[in-house]
C-alpha cells in the first residue's frame, strides 16, 4: 500500500501541493483528476523522487520512502510514465525496451557484456508481445506515432516490473478511438500484472468507467476522494470542478 | 613554494600593502568588466561566448592604434569599446546566431574557428611581438599618497571608471526600455516578437554590449598590460571562473567574485606565486561542489 | 558466454588490422608512412576517446587534450627519472605505461566528479578551464616540466622482452598494437550494456534516471575511461617525439580534437579516426601553401560547420545515399 500524508510543495509563491493525504491500496486502480495546474503532475514528481518534498511523508508498506532518489524509488517498485512521452529518440523500439530490461536486471554498468544477447532479446520480445508492438520492433522511436510513443513510455515503466505503476495522462493528445484502445491496454496490463495502478486523466468518461477510486485535486489541495459513485454525487466536486460537463455524463 | 614571511612583511608595511591592494583591485575590476559581458550574454541569450576573450584583445589593439594617432587615452578607450562592440554584433549576426539552438558542439567549433581567425588577423596587422602602450600622457602625474603607499592616478581612474561602467550597465539592464525588452525577450521571445519588436536586433545589440564591455576592459588595460595575439584566452578562463563563483547571469555576483580573484592574484604573487592559479581553481571547485549556482544566484544550473 | 566469443567479429577485424599495420611496417621502407601513421595512432586515440564522451554519451568536453598531455608528461617524466629506471630496469617502459594511465585515471576522476553533474554548457567550459589549469601548471613548473620548452633531453627506452623502442620498426609495431587494442576496447564498450546506458543518458538523461540508471556514476566511469584512452594517445606521442610539449595541453589541441570528430562525424564509430586523417592532411596541405595556417584552418572550420552543418564524412555518405538521414 502506498500512502502519502500531509504532503506539501511550493514553487516560490505557488503552492502546488497543499497538505495532501491519500492512500492507494494494493491492487487498486485509482485515478487523479483536477483542472490544469491543480498539482497532479507535481504529486507524481514528489512520490517518484523527481522533486524533493517541502514537508510530509510518502510511505510504501509502512516504509518511509520520502525524498529517496529516483533510482531508489524505482528499486522499491514504483515506476511511472510521463505526461509528455519521454523516450529515447535514437534507439529502436526494441532496443529501448531491452535497455530498460537491462537496467532492471542490474546490468547497466557491465562494461564488457554485449548488449545484444539472446536472453535480453527474448525478454524484450515478450514485452513487445504484451504491448502489441511487435510490428514496430525495429523502428527508431522518434519515427513512431504519438500514440505508440505513449504506449512505449508505459511499456518502459512496465518493463521494470513495478508493483505500482503511475501514468500521467496516458491518453493526452489522442483521438477518441486511440483513447479507448489505450484504456483497454491499461486495463489489460493492470489485470495481467496485478498492479497497483494510479493514473491522471482528463476524460471523465474514462475516469468513471475504469477507476475504483477517484481523487480530486484543486489548487494543490485534495477536494474529495471516493468511489466513482461518491464523486458523482459530491456537491463540492460538482460545483467546483465538474460543472456542466458533469451533467452531460 | 610558500613564502609566508614575504606575505607578513608586506602586510606589515603600509606601502607594500597598499600597492598590493590597488593592483589586486585593478586586476579585479578589469576582470569584472570582461566577466560582466560574459554573464550578461549568458543571462539573456543562454549562450556562453567562448570567443569572449577575443573582444578583449580586439579592444586593446584598437585602443593601441587609436592612441598612436590621437595620443588620447580616453578616446582610444572609447574606440576600443566601440570597435569590439561592432565586431561583436558582426560575430553574433553572421556567425554564432546561425547555430543558436543547435548542438553545443557547433557553437564550440564556431567560437574555436573565430578565435583562430581573429588571432591570426591580429598577427597579420599588428605583428607577433609583444606591444607595450605605456602610461598615457594624460596620466603622467604625481601619485596619490595613501597610508604611506603610492597610488598612481591612472590606477585610481581605472578602478573608479570600471565601477561606474558596471553600475551603468546594471542600470541599463534594469531601468531602461532597452533593458526591459531584452529581459522580457529572454523569458519569452516568441511573445515579445508577437508585440512587433524585432527580437534578433535586440539580441544582437545585447551581444554587442557584452563584447563592448570586454573591449573596453582590453582598451583600459592596454597601458598596464602588454599586448599580444592570443592575450584574450587567459582572461576568458579567468572571467569564466568569476562567473561560476559569482553565479551565471549575476552582475553584482561578478563584481564581488572578480574582486576576490583580483586580490587572490595580487596577494598570491607575493606569498605563493606558483600556487595562485591553483588557488583560483580551488575556490571555483569548492563553489561548484557546495553551491553549483554560484554564490549570488538562487536555483540550480540544470 | 564470454566476452571473447561474443565479440568474435570485432576481435577478428582487430587482429586483421594489426597484421595489416605490421605488414606496412615491414614492407614500406620509407619512414614517412610509419611516422604519419604513428601520429594518426596518437591523435586518433585522442579523437576516438573524445567521441566516447561526445558521440556515445553526449558529454561535450572542451578540455579532453588535458588527459592526453598528462599521459604524455607522466610517461616522459617517469622514463627520465634515474631512480625509476634503476628500480624497474627492463620493465621500466611497461610499468611507466600503466602508471601513467593510472595517474591520468585518478586525475580525471577528480575533475570528472566536479564536472560531470553539471549541465552541458557548464561541462564544456569547466573541462576547458581545468585543461588550462593543467597547462598553467606545466608552463610554470619549469624545474619539473621544462616549462615552455617542453620536456627535453630525451627519454630512456630500455629493451624489454626483446622489444627495443629506440628502433623505429619496433616502435611502430608496438604503437600499432597498442592503438588497435584501444580501438577494440572502445568498440566493445560501445556495443556493451554500458554503451547502451550511455546512449540512454545521451538521448534522455531524466528518463534514464527513471529506468534506474545511476547517471552520475555511469557518466563518471565514461569520463575516466575516455581520459585514460586519451592518455595512451599522449604516451604514444611521447614515445615518438622522445619528449612532451605544453602545446598538447593548450586549449587549441582540444578544439582540434573536436574538429576531427566533427569532420569524421560523431555517429559513425570510426568517423573520428577518418577525421584525424583528414585534419592531418588538411594541416599538411595548408602548411605547404600558406604561413597563416590558423587563419586558413579557421576558415575551413567555418565553412564545414556553417556550410554543411554536419561532418564531412556524414555529409558525403548521405549525399551518396549510403547513410540514411
Ligand atoms: N518545476 C516547477 N517549477 C515551478 N513551478 C512549477 C513546477 N512544476 C509545477 N509548477 C507549478 O505548480 C502548479 C501545478 O503544476 P502541475 O503539477 O504540473 O499541474 P497539473 O499536472 O495538475 O496540470 C502549476 O501552477 C505549475 O505552474
Ligand atoms: Mg500535469
Amino acid at each position: 500500500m502506498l500512502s502519502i500524508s500531509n504532503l506539501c510543495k511550493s514553487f516560490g509563491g505557488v503552492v502546488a501541493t497543499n497538505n495532501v493525504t491519500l492512500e492507494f491500496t494494493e491492487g487498486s486502480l485509482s485515478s487523479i483528476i483536477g483542472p490544469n495546474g491543480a498539482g497532479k503532475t507535481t504529486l507524481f514528481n514528489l512520490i517518484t523522487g523527481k522533486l524533493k518534498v517541502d514537508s510530509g511523508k510518502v510511505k510504501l508498506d509502512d516504509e518511509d520512502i520520502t525524498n529517496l532518489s529516483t533510482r531508489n524509488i524505482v528499486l522499491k517498485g514504483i515506476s511511472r510514465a510521463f505526461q509528455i512521452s519521454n523516450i529515447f529518440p535514437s534507439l529502436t523500439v526494441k532496443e529501448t525496451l531491452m535497455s530498460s530490461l537491462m537496467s532492471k536486471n542490474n546490468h547497466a554498468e557491465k562494461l564488457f557484456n554485449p548488449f545484444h544477447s539472446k536472453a535480453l532479446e527474448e525478454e524484450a520480445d515478450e514485452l513487445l508481445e504484451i504491448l502489441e508492438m511487435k510490428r514496430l520492433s525495429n523502428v527508431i522511436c522518434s519515427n513512431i506515432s504519438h500514440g505508440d510513443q505513449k504506449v512505449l513510455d508505459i511499456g518502459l515503466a512496465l518493463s521494470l516490473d513495478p508493483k505500482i505503476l503511475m501514468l500521467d495522462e496516458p491518453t493526452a493528445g489522442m483521438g477518441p478511438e486511440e483513447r479507448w484502445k489505450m484504456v483497454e491496454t491499461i486495463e489489460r496490463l493492470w489485470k495481467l500484472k496485478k498492479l497497483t495502478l494510479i493514473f491522471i486523466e482528463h476524460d471523465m468518461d474514462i475516469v468513471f468507467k475504469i477507476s475504483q477510486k477517484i481523487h480530486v485535486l484543486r489548487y494543490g489541495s485534495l477536494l474529495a476522494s471516493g468511489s466513482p459513485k461518491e464523486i458523482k454525487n459530491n456537491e463540492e466536486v460538482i460545483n467546483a470542478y465538474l460543472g456542466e460537463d458533469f451533467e452531460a455524463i | 613554494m610558500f613564502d609566508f614571511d614575504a606575505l607578513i612583511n608586506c602586510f606589515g608595511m603600509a606601502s607594500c600593502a597598499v600597492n598590493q591592494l590597488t593592483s589586486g583591485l585593478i586586476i579585479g575590476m578589469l576582470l569584472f568588466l570582461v566577466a560582466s559581458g560574459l554573464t550578461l550574454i549568458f543571462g539573456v541569450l543562454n549562450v556562453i561566448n567562448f570567443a569572449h576573450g577575443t573582444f578583449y584583445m580586439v579592444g586593446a589593439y584598437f585602443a593601441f592604434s587609436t592612441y598612436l594617432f590621437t595620443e588620447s587615452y580616453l578616446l582610444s578607450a572609447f574606440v576600443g569599446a566601440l570597435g569590439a562592440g561592432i565586431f561583436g554584433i558582426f560575430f553574433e549576426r553572421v556567425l554564432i546566431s546561425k547555430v543558436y539552438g543547435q548542438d553545443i558542439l557547433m557553437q564550440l567549433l564556431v567560437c574555436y574557428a573565430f578565435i583562430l581567425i581573429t588571432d591570426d588577423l591580429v598577427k597579420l596587422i599588428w605583428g607577433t611581438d609583444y606591444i607595450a602602450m605605456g602610461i598615457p600622457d594624460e596620466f603622467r602625474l604625481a601619485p596619490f599618497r595613501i597610508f604611506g603607499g603610492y597610488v598612481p592616478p591612472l590606477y585610481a581612474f581605472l578602478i573608479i571608471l570600471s565601477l561606474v561602467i558596471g553600475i551603468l550597465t546594471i542600470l541599463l539592464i534594469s531601468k531602461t526600455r532597452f533593458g526591459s525588452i531584452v529581459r522580457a525577450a529572454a523569458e519569452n521571445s516568441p511573445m515579445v516578437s508577437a508585440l512587433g519588436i524585432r527580437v534578433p536586433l535586440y539580441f544582437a545589440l545585447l551581444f554587442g554590449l557584452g563584447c563592448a564591455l570586454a573591449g573596453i576592459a582590453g582598451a583600459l588595460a592596454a597601458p598596464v598590460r602588454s599586448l599580444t595575439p592570443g592575450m584574450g584566452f587567459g582572461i576568458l578562463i579567468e572571467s569564466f571562473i568569476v562567473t561560476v563563483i559569482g553565479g551565471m547571469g549575476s552582475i553584482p555576483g561578478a563584481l564581488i567574485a572578480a574582486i576576490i580573484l583580483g586580490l587572490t592574484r595580487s596577494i598570491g604573487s607575493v606569498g605563493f606565486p606558483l600556487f595562485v592559479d591553483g588557488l583560483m581553481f580551488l575556490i571555483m571547485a569548492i563553489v561548484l561542489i557546495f553551491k553549483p549556482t554560484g554564490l549570488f544566484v538562487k536555483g540550480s544550473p540544470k | 558466454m564470454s566476452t571473447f566469443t561474443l565479440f568474435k567479429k570485432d576481435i577478428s577485424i582487430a587482429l586483421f588490422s594489426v597484421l595489416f599495420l605490421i605488414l606496412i611496417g615491414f614492407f614500406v621502407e620509407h619512414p614517412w608512412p610509419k611516422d604519419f601513421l604513428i601520429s594518426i595512432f596518437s591523435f586518433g586515440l585522442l579523437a576516438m576517446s573524445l567521441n566516447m564522451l561526445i558521440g556515445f554519451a553526449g558529454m561535450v568536453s572542451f578540455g579532453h587534450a588535458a588527459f592526453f598531455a598528462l599521459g604524455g608528461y607522466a610517461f616522459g617524466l617517469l622514463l627520465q627519472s634515474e631512480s625509476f629506471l634503476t628500480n624497474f630496469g627492463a620493465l621500466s617502459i611497461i610499468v611507466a605505461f600503466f602508471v601513467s594511465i593510472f595517474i591520468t585515471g585518478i586525475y580525471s576522476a577528480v575533475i570528472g566528479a566536479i564536472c560531470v553533474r553539471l549541465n552541458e554548457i557548464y561541462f564544456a567550459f569547466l573541462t576547458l578551464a581545468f585543461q588550462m589549469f593543467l597547462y598553467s601548471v606545466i608552463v610554470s613548473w619549469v624545474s619539473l616540466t621544462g616549462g615552455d620548452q617542453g620536456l627535453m633531453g630525451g627519454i630512456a627506452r630500455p629493451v624489454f622482452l626483446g622489444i627495443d623502442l629506440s628502433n623505429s620498426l619496433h616502435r611502430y609495431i608496438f604503437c600499432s598494437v597498442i592503438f588497435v587494442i584501444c580501438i577494440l576496447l572502445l568498440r566493445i564498450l560501445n556495443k556493451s550494456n554500458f554503451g547502451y546506458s550511455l546512449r540512454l543518458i545521451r538521448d534522455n538523461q531524466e528518463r534514464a534516471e527513471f529506468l534506474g540508471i545511476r547517471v552520475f556514476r555511469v557518466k563518471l566511469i565514461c569520463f575516466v575511461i575516455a581520459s585514460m584512452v586519451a592518455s595512451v594517445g599522449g604516451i604514444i606521442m611521447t614515445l615518438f617525439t622522445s619528449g612532451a610539449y605544453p602545446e598538447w595541453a593548450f586549449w587549441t589541441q582540444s578544439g582540434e580534437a573536436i574538429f576531427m570528430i566533427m569532420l569524421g562525424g560523431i555517429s559513425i564509430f570510426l568517423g573520428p579516426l577518418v577525421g584525424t586523417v583528414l585534419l592531418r592532411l588538411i594541416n599538411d596541405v595548408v602548411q605547404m601553401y600558406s604561413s597563416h595556417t590558423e587563419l586558413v584552418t579557421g576558415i575551413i572550420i567555418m565553412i564545414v560547420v556553417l556550410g554543411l552543418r554536419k561532418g564531412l564524412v556524414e555529409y558525403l555518405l548521405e549525399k551518396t545515399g549510403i547513410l540514411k538521414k
Side-chain angles (χ1 to χ4, degrees):
Chain A
M1 187 174 73
L2 177 69
S3 64
I4 56 181
S5 47
N6 307 103
L7 216 56
C8 294
K9 177 77 188 177
S10 40
F11 300 104
V14 182
V15 182
T17 305
N18 186 7
N19 205 20
V20 172
T21 302
L22 274 178
E23 272 184 6
F24 303 95
T25 48
E26 211 168 309
S28 64
L29 197 166
S30 344
S31 55
I32 296 177
I33 63 173
N36 272 329
K40 306 180 296 292
T41 301
T42 304
L43 192 65
F44 270 27
N45 287 342
L46 293 172
I47 295 173
T48 56
K50 186 180 167 189
L51 291 172
K52 296 270 171 262
V53 312
D54 290 347
S55 64
K57 281 220 175 338
V58 183
K59 278 187 180 167
L60 180 65
D61 301 330
D62 292 327
E63 184 188 356
D64 189 353
I65 59 164
T66 322
N67 287 343
L68 288 187
S69 70
T70 317
R71 174 184 153 83
N72 282 323
I73 300 275
V74 168
L75 292 181
K76 299 275 177 216
I78 301 178
S79 59
R80 71 180 281 193
F82 290 77
Q83 183 169 351
I84 296 161
S85 60
N86 201 347
I87 48 171
F88 303 95
S90 77
L91 301 184
T92 66
V93 169
K94 187 167 170 182
E95 281 175 334
T96 308
L97 290 172
M98 285 168 70
S99 308
S100 75
L101 288 165
M102 156 187 96
S103 175
K104 182 203 70 179
N105 299 339
N106 214 359
H107 289 167
E109 287 159 27
K110 293 234 188 290
L111 297 176
F112 304 114
N113 286 16
F115 176 71
H116 289 277
S117 70
K118 245 212 181 86
L120 195 59
E121 300 217 10
E122 277 167 11
E123 226 179 319
D125 282 333
E126 223 172 278
L127 197 56
L128 283 165
E129 200 83 61
I130 294 175
L131 297 170
E132 298 175 345
M133 291 190 94
K134 215 121 204 189
R135 72 213 141 82
L136 297 172
S137 289
N138 295 319
V139 185
I140 305 277
C141 289
S142 50
N143 296 337
I144 64 178
S145 74
H146 173 78
D148 286 329
Q149 290 190 6
K150 284 290 236 189
V151 177
L152 181 59
D153 198 355
I154 296 174
L156 276 178
L158 202 67
S159 68
L160 302 171
D161 236 343
K163 287 187 278 190
I164 299 174
L165 181 62
M166 305 172 65
L167 308 178
D168 194 345
E169 303 196 17
T171 70
M174 291 182 175
E177 206 169 311
E178 232 183 338
R179 248 170 215 235
W180 286 103
K181 226 184 117 211
M182 176 59 106
V183 172
E184 259 170 49
T185 310
I186 294 173
E187 255 191 313
R188 185 165 53 83
L189 295 175
W190 172 60
K191 284 180 188 146
L192 183 73
K193 298 277 178 181
K194 302 193 169 49
L195 298 163
T196 305
L197 201 137
I198 309 167
F199 74 108
I200 297 176
E201 181 56 63
H202 279 302
D203 187 325
M204 288 307 134
D205 291 344
I206 295 175
V207 169
F208 284 113
K209 175 156 182 292
I210 69 173
S211 327
Q212 296 175 333
K213 209 155 187 200
I214 300 173
H215 307 284
V216 188
L217 284 180
R218 196 178 56 144
Y219 302 133
S221 314
L222 188 67
L223 189 67
S225 265
S227 67
K229 213 171 182 173
E230 286 165 346
I231 296 295
K232 258 187 199 173
N233 299 323
N234 185 313
E235 287 287 325
E236 242 182 314
V237 176
I238 296 171
N239 292 338
Y241 171 52
L242 295 172
E244 284 158 26
D245 254 3
F246 177 69
E247 304 298 334
I249 295 174
Chain B
M1 202 173 228
F2 292 91
D3 194 346
F4 287 117
D5 287 345
L7 207 57
I8 291 164
N9 270 340
C10 177
F11 277 84
M13 271 186 310
S15 59
C16 179
V18 169
N19 284 346
Q20 291 311 314
L21 288 180
T22 7
S23 84
L25 276 180
I26 288 200
I27 299 172
M29 293 314 293
L30 292 175
L31 200 50
F32 160 64
L33 288 179
V34 183
S36 60
L38 189 69
T39 212
L40 199 59
I41 292 172
F42 176 83
V44 174
L45 299 173
N46 208 15
V47 170
I48 291 193
N49 180 13
F50 281 85
H52 200 62
T54 305
F55 300 98
Y56 172 83
M57 170 181 75
V58 165
Y61 275 98
F62 280 173
F64 170 73
S65 288
T66 313
Y67 186 71
L68 281 189
F69 284 111
T70 64
E71 303 211 339
S72 159
Y73 178 53
L74 289 180
L75 185 62
S76 47
F78 178 73
V79 171
L82 192 68
I86 292 171
F87 197 43
I89 291 177
F90 163 81
F91 174 61
E92 200 272 349
R93 278 295 87 200
V94 178
L95 301 171
I96 199 81
S97 65
K98 299 283 185 286
V99 290
Y100 279 168
Q102 277 204 1
D103 209 330
I104 184 177
L105 200 63
M106 298 295 183
Q107 288 180 23
L108 283 188
L109 280 170
V110 168
C111 292
Y112 168 56
F114 182 74
I115 299 172
L116 288 185
I117 294 172
T118 321
D119 280 0
D120 230 9
L121 285 178
V122 167
K123 276 184 212 161
L124 271 173
I125 300 172
W126 283 281
T128 49
D129 293 338
Y130 282 83
I131 297 178
M133 178 168 144
I135 302 292
D137 289 338
E138 293 114 299
F139 288 96
R140 289 184 196 278
L141 308 165
F144 304 123
R145 235 190 114 95
I146 300 174
F147 299 119
Y150 293 95
V151 178
L154 175 63
Y155 287 18
F157 173 74
L158 280 181
I159 293 171
I160 292 168
L161 183 63
S162 310
L163 204 57
V164 171
I165 294 172
I167 292 170
L168 287 178
T169 308
I170 293 176
L171 289 178
L172 179 67
I173 296 300
S174 61
K175 293 278 187 278
T176 65
R177 187 179 136 78
F178 171 79
S180 45
I181 289 177
V182 162
R183 276 181 292 123
E187 287 287 321
N188 189 344
S189 105
M191 184 79 131
V192 177
S193 295
L195 298 176
I197 290 167
R198 290 167 63 193
V199 172
L201 176 73
Y202 279 86
F203 280 174
L205 284 177
L206 181 99
F207 200 98
L209 172 66
C211 295
L213 285 169
I216 200 162
L220 291 175
V224 289
R225 305 259 173 93
S226 48
L227 277 58
T228 161
M231 66 190 276
F233 208 77
I235 198 117
L236 169 74
I237 298 294
E238 284 183 27
S239 57
F240 178 65
I241 297 177
V242 164
T243 44
V244 168
I245 295 175
M248 243 341 142
S250 159
I251 295 182
L255 176 62
I256 294 168
I259 292 175
I260 294 175
L261 237 59
L263 292 177
T264 310
R265 268 216 171 285
S266 67
I267 295 168
S269 69
V270 180
F272 40 90
L274 275 181
F275 196 59
V276 171
D277 277 345
L279 188 62
M280 280 181 359
F281 276 86
L282 192 66
I283 298 175
M284 178 178 79
I286 290 171
V287 170
L288 274 173
I289 291 166
F290 293 103
K291 192 145 186 326
T293 49
L295 297 180
F296 304 94
V297 171
K298 288 186 185 135
S300 96
K302 282 206 168 169
Chain C
M1 276 188 283
S2 73
T3 307
F4 186 76
T5 50
L6 284 163
F7 285 108
K8 219 171 358 185
K9 189 174 139 218
D10 293 317
I11 294 175
S12 337
I13 294 177
L15 283 174
F16 198 76
S17 318
V18 170
L19 254 149
F20 180 71
L21 289 171
I22 291 178
L23 285 179
I24 292 182
F26 274 109
F27 290 104
V28 179
E29 290 287 327
H30 199 280
W32 183 81
K34 278 181 266 184
D35 289 353
F36 181 78
L37 278 173
I38 290 190
S39 81
I40 295 297
F41 297 160
S42 166
F43 291 112
L45 284 182
L46 174 65
M48 289 291 289
S49 62
L50 177 58
N51 197 41
M52 179 176 180
L53 293 175
I54 296 181
F56 301 6
M59 302 157 73
V60 181
S61 163
F62 201 171
H64 198 55
F67 307 108
F68 177 93
L70 184 59
Y73 267 93
F75 188 70
L77 284 168
L78 287 173
L79 291 178
Q80 279 189 344
S81 146
E82 288 298 332
S83 59
F84 180 82
L85 291 166
T86 45
N87 266 328
F88 293 100
L91 288 177
S92 295
I93 297 255
I94 296 294
V95 176
F97 180 78
F98 286 109
V99 169
S100 311
I101 297 175
F102 181 74
I103 290 174
T104 311
I106 301 286
Y107 180 69
S108 68
V110 175
I111 303 294
I114 299 172
C115 300
V116 149
R117 58 177 101 235
L118 303 167
N119 74 15
E120 211 180 20
I121 302 179
Y122 258 62
F123 178 77
F125 223 130
L126 266 172
T127 45
L128 172 65
F130 280 114
Q131 166 165 0
M132 292 312 286
F133 169 65
L134 188 74
Y135 177 77
S136 86
V137 171
I138 289 175
V139 172
S140 52
W141 200 345
V142 182
S143 59
L144 182 73
T145 62
D148 284 339
Q149 299 298 309
L151 207 56
M152 305 294 269
I155 57 169
R157 295 154 170 166
V159 180
F160 65 101
L161 307 168
I163 303 172
D164 176 10
L165 293 181
S166 29
N167 172 314
S168 74
L169 181 62
H170 283 208
R171 188 168 59 229
Y172 167 78
I173 293 174
F174 180 77
C175 293
S176 327
V177 173
I178 291 177
F179 166 73
V180 174
I181 290 174
C182 287
I183 299 292
L184 179 64
L185 175 76
L186 291 174
R187 175 72 179 174
I188 290 175
L189 289 172
N190 181 245
K191 290 283 168 195
S192 72
N193 285 341
F194 183 74
Y196 273 79
S197 297
L198 294 179
R199 286 173 176 78
L200 295 179
I201 291 171
R202 175 192 66 196
D203 274 14
N204 189 342
Q205 174 164 328
E206 187 199 35
R207 191 68 172 115
E209 260 167 32
F210 276 98
L211 295 181
I213 303 276
R214 283 185 274 207
V215 171
F216 172 70
R217 211 171 126 118
V218 170
K219 278 179 149 182
L220 185 57
I221 294 172
C222 174
F223 191 78
V224 172
I225 295 177
S227 305
M228 286 160 75
V229 174
S231 77
V232 176
I235 291 172
I236 291 179
M237 229 343 122
T238 296
L239 264 178
F240 182 54
T241 59
S242 201
Y245 302 91
E247 299 92 88
W248 299 353
F250 199 55
W251 69 276
T252 46
Q253 188 73 64
S254 291
E256 212 166 79
I258 292 180
F259 186 50
M260 291 176 198
I261 292 182
M262 159 83 194
L263 267 179
I266 57 172
S267 59
I268 306 165
F269 178 71
L270 287 178
L273 208 54
V274 179
T276 312
V277 176
L278 284 176
L279 187 62
R280 270 309 299 258
L281 294 176
I282 291 175
N283 277 347
D284 287 355
V285 171
V286 170
Q287 253 157 15
M288 243 186 282
Y289 293 104
S290 158
S291 54
H292 293 283
T293 45
E294 294 186 344
L295 186 64
V296 180
T297 314
I299 292 172
I300 293 175
I301 297 175
M302 286 292 188
I303 291 171
V304 173
V305 173
L306 298 177
L308 305 184
R309 288 176 179 264
K310 56 177 62 112
L312 196 58
V313 175
E314 278 171 320
Y315 179 78
L316 291 176
L317 289 180
E318 270 174 27
K319 273 274 150 179
T320 52
I322 297 170
L323 194 78
K324 292 248 157 46
K325 239 195 131 160

